[in-house]
Amino acid sequence: MQQASKVKVLLAEDDLSLGYVIKDNLIDAGYEVVLCPDGQAAIEKFDKNEFGICLLDVMMPNKDGFAVAKKIRQQSDMVPILFLTARSMEEDKIKGFQSGADDYITKPFSIQELLMRMEVFLRRTRKMHSEQSVNFMIGQLNFSYTDLKLTIGKEVFNLTQKEADLLKFLCEHSNRILKREEVLLNVWGKDDYFLGRSMDVFITKLRKYFKADPQVNLETIHGVGFRFNTPQA
């Protein structure tokens, strides 16, 4: 899977033998890779470089992957973050999404699977950079999908990529009932229990933004899904 142009990858993995295996394979696939042995080193490298995607081990010394993801999200809502984890506990995965991760891949994994998962997010990022500005008016809220911003008056909310993806889908299907599995398939790409829990986290985040306009309401239809109620044009 050769990249048309080199994408710089931040790889944080404290198991250096595994880290070098991943790094060598990514380089062979056409990526430029910066390998960090712990979370603090990853944060320092991110501060000084521009990366196209970040691959973070969860359990690392000197700041774990959750702390690194939060730090990255303070500086960038755009760069994709993929967790590499040997832990399959649901609470850890939920915490990862809350920290700003876009996805996770559980060890052991094949390099081909990792490359394919990376390409999904890089393709989406390239599309966002290339497409024209995409904006929605949601009552008094102005949503710029391109800029990942939700604005009401002088107040501006910076969204993560996943929040923006979910809100864009809701805007495109406002004022009608959406089944949970429909939202999951279109925004997350698959329907399973864990991703459903993750979706609920993002739904809660969006509802906090909507409090700025009482006309906007993301309603839960119990046993079915959601309805994004917005003022009719």
Side-chain angles (χ1 to χ4, degrees):
M1 187 179 294
Q2 194 73 21
Q3 299 295 100
S5 58
K6 284 195 175 183
V7 172
K8 184 178 285 189
V9 180
L10 175 62
L11 172 59
E13 172 59 68
D14 66 326
D15 180 347
L16 289 180
S17 59
L18 174 60
Y20 281 115
V21 168
I22 296 173
K23 178 179 179 178
D24 290 345
N25 278 276
L26 293 183
I27 290 173
D28 288 344
Y31 291 96
E32 181 180 347
V33 183
V34 175
L35 174 60
C36 300
D38 60 65
Q40 184 58 44
I43 290 173
E44 292 172 1
K45 287 293 185 182
F46 188 84
D47 287 340
K48 298 175 183 178
N49 295 269
E50 185 172 337
F51 292 96
I53 189 168
C54 300
L55 309 179
L56 309 178
D57 184 28
V58 171
M59 301 303 296
M60 293 186 291
N62 302 324
K63 297 190 183 298
D64 61 17
F66 303 131
V68 178
K70 286 181 179 178
K71 187 69 175 178
I72 289 172
R73 281 290 170 254
Q74 290 173 6
Q75 300 181 49
S76 172
D77 294 316
M78 182 73 72
V79 61
I81 298 175
L82 180 63
F83 274 141
L84 312 177
T85 176
R87 303 174 67 172
S88 58
M89 289 178 61
E90 180 179 318
E91 292 79 6
D92 287 342
K93 294 174 183 176
I94 292 291
K95 186 177 180 182
F97 282 110
Q98 291 174 329
S99 301
D102 293 288
D103 203 354
Y104 68 93
I105 183 168
T106 304
K107 302 174 185 176
F109 53 80
S110 71
I111 293 297
Q112 190 63 27
E113 179 186 3
L114 176 61
L115 290 170
M116 290 176 66
R117 299 280 279 278
M118 290 171 61
E119 181 59 25
V120 167
F121 290 102
L122 291 169
R123 192 183 306 123
R124 183 180 302 167
T125 302
R126 287 193 292 267
K127 182 179 179 183
M128 282 194 62
H129 282 302
S130 64
E131 67 184 7
Q132 294 181 341
S133 179
V134 178
N135 295 281
F136 299 88
M137 284 303 301
I138 313 167
Q140 300 176 51
L141 296 160
N142 185 295
F143 168 42
S144 172
Y145 177 70
T146 309
D147 297 328
L148 303 177
K149 294 184 184 299
L150 188 61
T151 306
I152 180 167
K154 295 182 179 180
E155 190 168 17
V156 179
F157 303 105
N158 294 306
L159 306 179
T160 66
Q161 182 62 62
K162 188 59 70 177
E163 287 174 336
D165 290 343
L166 175 57
L167 183 52
K168 179 174 181 284
F169 184 75
L170 293 172
C171 289
E172 292 170 342
H173 302 85
S174 61
N175 298 305
R176 76 174 184 84
I177 294 175
L178 294 168
K179 294 182 178 180
R180 286 180 64 87
E181 56 266 30
E182 182 180 359
V183 180
L184 284 166
L185 287 169
N186 282 276
V187 179
W188 274 266
K190 59 182 177 180
D191 172 18
D192 67 24
Y193 171 77
F194 165 68
L195 289 177
R197 288 288 306 277
S198 174
M199 178 174 68
D200 291 337
V201 170
F202 285 97
I203 290 288
T204 299
K205 288 183 177 181
L206 291 181
R207 283 184 172 135
K208 290 180 181 178
Y209 302 137
F210 301 149
K211 289 180 180 179
D213 185 351
Q215 301 179 89
V216 178
N217 170 252
L218 182 48
E219 177 186 4
T220 295
I221 310 296
H222 292 289
V224 180
F226 309 97
R227 180 166 53 212
F228 188 36
N229 300 309
T230 64
Q232 298 283 359

